[in-house]
Short mmCIF file of all heavy atoms in Angstrom, two decimals:
data_model
loop_
_atom_site.label_atom_id
_atom_site.label_comp_id
_atom_site.label_asym_id
_atom_site.label_seq_id
_atom_site.Cartn_x
_atom_site.Cartn_y
_atom_site.Cartn_z
N VAL E 1 -102.77 37.33 -123.56
CA VAL E 1 -102.31 37.18 -122.11
C VAL E 1 -102.10 38.62 -121.55
O VAL E 1 -102.53 38.87 -120.43
CB VAL E 1 -101.05 36.33 -122.04
CG1 VAL E 1 -100.48 36.35 -120.66
CG2 VAL E 1 -101.37 34.90 -122.48
N VAL E 2 -101.53 39.47 -122.32
CA VAL E 2 -101.23 40.85 -121.86
C VAL E 2 -102.48 41.57 -121.61
O VAL E 2 -102.68 42.30 -120.55
CB VAL E 2 -100.30 41.60 -122.83
CG1 VAL E 2 -100.26 43.09 -122.52
CG2 VAL E 2 -98.90 41.03 -122.80
N LEU E 3 -103.52 41.45 -122.47
CA LEU E 3 -104.79 42.09 -122.30
C LEU E 3 -105.57 41.66 -121.06
O LEU E 3 -106.07 42.51 -120.33
CB LEU E 3 -105.63 41.93 -123.55
CG LEU E 3 -105.32 42.77 -124.71
CD1 LEU E 3 -106.17 42.44 -125.94
CD2 LEU E 3 -105.46 44.27 -124.42
N VAL E 4 -105.50 40.35 -120.83
CA VAL E 4 -106.19 39.88 -119.57
C VAL E 4 -105.45 40.35 -118.34
O VAL E 4 -106.03 40.84 -117.38
CB VAL E 4 -106.30 38.40 -119.63
CG1 VAL E 4 -106.85 37.83 -118.35
CG2 VAL E 4 -107.13 37.85 -120.75
N GLY E 5 -104.11 40.37 -118.34
CA GLY E 5 -103.42 40.82 -117.20
C GLY E 5 -103.56 42.32 -117.03
O GLY E 5 -103.77 42.78 -115.83
N ALA E 6 -103.48 43.09 -118.07
CA ALA E 6 -103.71 44.56 -117.91
C ALA E 6 -105.14 44.93 -117.46
O ALA E 6 -105.35 45.87 -116.74
CB ALA E 6 -103.38 45.24 -119.32
N SER E 7 -106.06 44.08 -117.97
CA SER E 7 -107.42 44.33 -117.53
C SER E 7 -107.60 44.19 -116.02
O SER E 7 -108.26 44.98 -115.39
CB SER E 7 -108.37 43.39 -118.29
OG SER E 7 -109.67 43.42 -117.75
N ALA E 8 -106.98 43.09 -115.50
CA ALA E 8 -107.09 42.88 -114.04
C ALA E 8 -106.41 44.02 -113.25
O ALA E 8 -106.90 44.48 -112.29
CB ALA E 8 -106.36 41.58 -113.70
N GLY E 9 -105.30 44.53 -113.77
CA GLY E 9 -104.57 45.64 -113.16
C GLY E 9 -105.43 46.94 -113.21
O GLY E 9 -105.52 47.66 -112.18
N LEU E 10 -106.10 47.14 -114.30
CA LEU E 10 -106.91 48.38 -114.49
C LEU E 10 -108.15 48.32 -113.57
O LEU E 10 -108.55 49.34 -113.01
CB LEU E 10 -107.26 48.56 -115.93
CG LEU E 10 -106.16 49.09 -116.85
CD1 LEU E 10 -106.62 49.06 -118.32
CD2 LEU E 10 -105.66 50.41 -116.45
N ILE E 11 -108.68 47.14 -113.48
CA ILE E 11 -109.85 47.00 -112.52
C ILE E 11 -109.46 47.28 -111.08
O ILE E 11 -110.15 47.99 -110.37
CB ILE E 11 -110.47 45.58 -112.66
CG1 ILE E 11 -111.15 45.48 -114.03
CG2 ILE E 11 -111.45 45.32 -111.51
CD1 ILE E 11 -111.58 44.06 -114.38
N THR E 12 -108.27 46.74 -110.72
CA THR E 12 -107.78 47.06 -109.43
C THR E 12 -107.43 48.45 -109.25
O THR E 12 -107.78 49.07 -108.10
CB THR E 12 -106.51 46.16 -109.12
OG1 THR E 12 -106.82 44.82 -109.38
CG2 THR E 12 -106.04 46.31 -107.71
N LEU E 13 -106.85 49.14 -110.19
CA LEU E 13 -106.59 50.55 -110.13
C LEU E 13 -107.86 51.38 -109.97
O LEU E 13 -107.94 52.30 -109.12
CB LEU E 13 -105.82 50.99 -111.35
CG LEU E 13 -105.53 52.46 -111.52
CD1 LEU E 13 -104.57 52.92 -110.47
CD2 LEU E 13 -105.02 52.82 -112.93
N SER E 14 -108.86 51.03 -110.73
CA SER E 14 -110.17 51.81 -110.63
C SER E 14 -110.87 51.60 -109.27
O SER E 14 -111.63 52.39 -108.82
CB SER E 14 -111.05 51.35 -111.79
OG SER E 14 -111.58 50.08 -111.61
N GLY E 15 -110.50 50.46 -108.65
CA GLY E 15 -111.07 50.18 -107.32
C GLY E 15 -110.29 50.84 -106.21
O GLY E 15 -110.59 50.64 -105.04
N GLY E 16 -109.25 51.44 -106.54
CA GLY E 16 -108.43 52.22 -105.51
C GLY E 16 -107.34 51.43 -104.88
O GLY E 16 -106.93 51.63 -103.81
N GLY E 17 -106.87 50.37 -105.57
CA GLY E 17 -105.83 49.46 -105.00
C GLY E 17 -104.46 50.15 -104.92
O GLY E 17 -104.19 51.09 -105.72
N SER E 18 -103.63 49.68 -104.05
CA SER E 18 -102.22 50.16 -103.96
C SER E 18 -101.44 49.58 -105.12
O SER E 18 -101.88 48.73 -105.83
CB SER E 18 -101.67 49.76 -102.63
OG SER E 18 -101.49 48.30 -102.62
N LEU E 19 -100.18 50.06 -105.22
CA LEU E 19 -99.28 49.62 -106.31
C LEU E 19 -99.02 48.15 -106.14
O LEU E 19 -98.87 47.45 -107.11
CB LEU E 19 -98.00 50.40 -106.31
CG LEU E 19 -98.08 51.82 -106.82
CD1 LEU E 19 -96.72 52.59 -106.72
CD2 LEU E 19 -98.55 51.83 -108.24
N VAL E 20 -98.92 47.62 -104.93
CA VAL E 20 -98.62 46.22 -104.71
C VAL E 20 -99.85 45.42 -105.22
O VAL E 20 -99.70 44.41 -105.84
CB VAL E 20 -98.28 45.92 -103.24
CG1 VAL E 20 -98.19 44.43 -102.96
CG2 VAL E 20 -97.02 46.61 -102.81
N GLN E 21 -101.02 45.88 -104.81
CA GLN E 21 -102.23 45.15 -105.23
C GLN E 21 -102.39 45.17 -106.69
O GLN E 21 -102.81 44.07 -107.25
CB GLN E 21 -103.46 45.79 -104.56
CG GLN E 21 -103.48 45.56 -103.04
CD GLN E 21 -104.56 46.38 -102.37
OE1 GLN E 21 -104.93 47.52 -102.81
NE2 GLN E 21 -105.13 45.84 -101.27
N ILE E 22 -102.08 46.24 -107.34
CA ILE E 22 -102.18 46.33 -108.82
C ILE E 22 -101.18 45.41 -109.44
O ILE E 22 -101.55 44.65 -110.36
CB ILE E 22 -101.93 47.81 -109.30
CG1 ILE E 22 -103.11 48.68 -108.83
CG2 ILE E 22 -101.85 47.85 -110.81
CD1 ILE E 22 -102.86 50.14 -108.97
N GLY E 23 -99.98 45.36 -108.95
CA GLY E 23 -98.93 44.41 -109.42
C GLY E 23 -99.37 42.96 -109.29
O GLY E 23 -99.24 42.18 -110.20
N VAL E 24 -99.90 42.63 -108.09
CA VAL E 24 -100.35 41.25 -107.88
C VAL E 24 -101.55 40.86 -108.89
O VAL E 24 -101.58 39.87 -109.42
CB VAL E 24 -100.80 41.07 -106.40
CG1 VAL E 24 -101.51 39.82 -106.24
CG2 VAL E 24 -99.56 41.17 -105.52
N ALA E 25 -102.42 41.87 -109.05
CA ALA E 25 -103.55 41.63 -109.96
C ALA E 25 -103.08 41.37 -111.39
O ALA E 25 -103.56 40.58 -112.13
CB ALA E 25 -104.54 42.75 -109.87
N VAL E 26 -102.08 42.17 -111.81
CA VAL E 26 -101.53 42.03 -113.15
C VAL E 26 -100.89 40.63 -113.29
O VAL E 26 -101.10 39.90 -114.32
CB VAL E 26 -100.48 43.11 -113.52
CG1 VAL E 26 -99.78 42.74 -114.81
CG2 VAL E 26 -101.23 44.39 -113.64
N VAL E 27 -100.18 40.17 -112.33
CA VAL E 27 -99.48 38.86 -112.32
C VAL E 27 -100.50 37.76 -112.32
O VAL E 27 -100.49 36.86 -113.19
CB VAL E 27 -98.46 38.72 -111.19
CG1 VAL E 27 -98.00 37.31 -111.07
CG2 VAL E 27 -97.34 39.66 -111.37
N VAL E 28 -101.53 37.89 -111.48
CA VAL E 28 -102.54 36.81 -111.36
C VAL E 28 -103.34 36.88 -112.61
O VAL E 28 -103.76 35.82 -113.17
CB VAL E 28 -103.39 36.98 -110.11
CG1 VAL E 28 -104.64 36.14 -110.13
CG2 VAL E 28 -102.56 36.79 -108.83
#
């Protein structure tokens, strides 16, 4: 579960997302 969540956050980070977007991506 942590790996899938972290992966979503890292993808958002590499796409230039804001901190809020990264947080949402990790939760989702």
